[in-house]
C-alpha cells in the first residue's frame, strides 16, 4: 500500500498547485476591469439572449468558484463575486457557464453522454473505495473471493475515471464557446480577452489533473490486481 500513498501524495501536490494557481489567476484578473462595465450577471444574460436561449435563469450562489450550470432546473449559478463584479475573470466564468447552457440547448453529444452516466457515477464514487479496501483485505491471504471483490471495486472506480475524461471535452468546449462569443461580439478588449483565456485555461487544467490522477490510480489498482493473481 506504500506505493498507493506515494501516488496519492503526488496527485495531491499537483492538484494543490493547479488549484492555487487558478485562485491566483482569478484574483489577478479580477483587477482587470471590463471596459464595457458589465457585470458577470449581465454578461451571462446577454450571451443567453444572443444564443436565443430564453428558458434559462441566471442566479447568484454562495461561495467562491462555485459557479456551475444546472441542466435540471436550467439555471446558470454564479458565485457572488462573479455575479456582481465587472472584470475579466467574472466575464470569463459567466460566459463559460453559459457555454454549458448553450451545449444543453444544442444537445451537445459529450454533455448528453455525461448526463446519462451521472447516476452510475454517483453510485460508483460512493462504493468504489470501500469495495476496493474490502477486496484487498480479503485477498491478503490469497482468497479468490477477495480478489473478485477487489476487481469489482476496480470496475466501479473505472466508471468514475471514465466520467472525468468525458468531462474534459465538455469543459474545453464550453470555454471555447465562451471565448469565441466574447471576441465575436466585441464584449472585451484584447487585454481582457487574454485575461479571460488565461483564467479559463487554468480552470480547465483542474479537470485535466483530476482525470490524469484518476487514471493513474486506476492503473495502479489494476497492477496490484494482476500481481496478486
Amino acid at each position: 500500500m506504500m506505493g498507493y500513498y506515494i501516488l496519492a501524495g503526488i496527485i495531491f501536490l499537483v492538484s494543490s498547485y493547479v488549484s492555487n494557481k487558478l485562485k491566483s489567476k482569478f484574483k489577478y484578473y479580477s483587477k482587470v476591469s471590463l471596459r464595457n462595465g458589465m457585470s458577470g450577471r449581465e454578461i451571462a444574460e446577454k450571451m443567453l439572449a444572443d444564443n436565443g436561449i430564453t428558458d434559462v435563469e441566471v442566479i447568484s450562489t454562495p461561495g467562491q468558484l462555485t459557479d456551475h450550470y444546472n441542466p435540471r432546473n436550467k439555471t446558470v449559478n454564479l458565485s457572488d463575486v462573479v455575479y456582481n463584479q465587472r472584470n475579466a475573470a467574472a466575464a470569463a466564468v459567466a460566459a463559460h457557464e453559459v457555454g454549458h447552457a448553450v451545449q444543453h440547448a444544442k444537445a451537445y453529444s459529450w454533455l448528453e453522454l455525461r448526463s446519462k452516466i451521472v447516476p452510475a457515477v454517483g453510485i460508483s464514487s460512493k462504493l468504489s473505495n470501500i469495495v476496493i479496501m474490502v477486496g484487498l483485505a480479503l485477498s491478503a491471504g490469497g482468497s479468490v473471493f477477495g480478489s473478485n471483490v477487489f476487481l469489482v471495486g476496480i470496475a466501479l472506480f473505472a466508471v468514475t475515471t471514465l466520467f472525468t475524461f468525458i468531462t474534459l471535452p465538455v469543459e474545453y468546449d464550453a470555454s471555447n464557446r465562451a471565448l469565441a462569443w466574447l471576441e465575436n461580439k466585441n464584449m472585451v478588449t484584447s487585454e481582457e480577452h487574454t485575461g479571460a483565456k488565461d483564467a479559463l485555461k487554468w480552470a480547465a487544467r483542474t479537470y485535466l489533473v483530476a482525470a490524469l490522477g484518476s487514471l493513474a490510480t486506476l492503473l495502479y489498482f489494476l497492477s496490484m490486481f494482476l500481481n496478486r493473481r
Side-chain angles (χ1 to χ4, degrees), residues 75-132:
T75 56
V76 171
N77 299 261
L78 303 179
S79 59
D80 294 333
V81 173
V82 171
Y83 187 87
N84 294 303
Q85 290 193 0
R86 306 166 188 272
N87 53 58
V93 174
H96 173 87
E97 297 309 332
V98 174
H100 288 307
V102 175
Q103 290 174 337
H104 190 194
K106 295 182 180 296
Y108 179 58
S109 58
W110 285 104
L111 179 65
E112 291 196 319
L113 177 59
R114 187 176 73 167
S115 298
K116 288 178 181 177
I117 69 170
V118 164
V121 173
I123 296 172
S124 63
S125 62
K126 292 177 181 178
L127 296 179
S128 59
N129 287 333
I130 296 174
V131 175
I132 285 173

Side-chain angles (χ1 to χ4, degrees), residues 5 13 15 20 22 51 70 77 80 88 90 95 108 118 123 131 134 139 161 163 165 177 203 208 215 218-219 224:
Y5 291 123
L13 291 174
S15 178
N20 289 332
L22 172 62
N51 282 276
N70 188 331
N77 299 261
D80 294 333
Y108 179 58
V118 164
I123 296 172
V131 175
V134 171
S139 63
T161 300
F163 181 78
F165 276 91
R177 291 175 190 268
L208 179 60
L215 177 61
L218 175 63
L219 293 176
M224 288 182 64

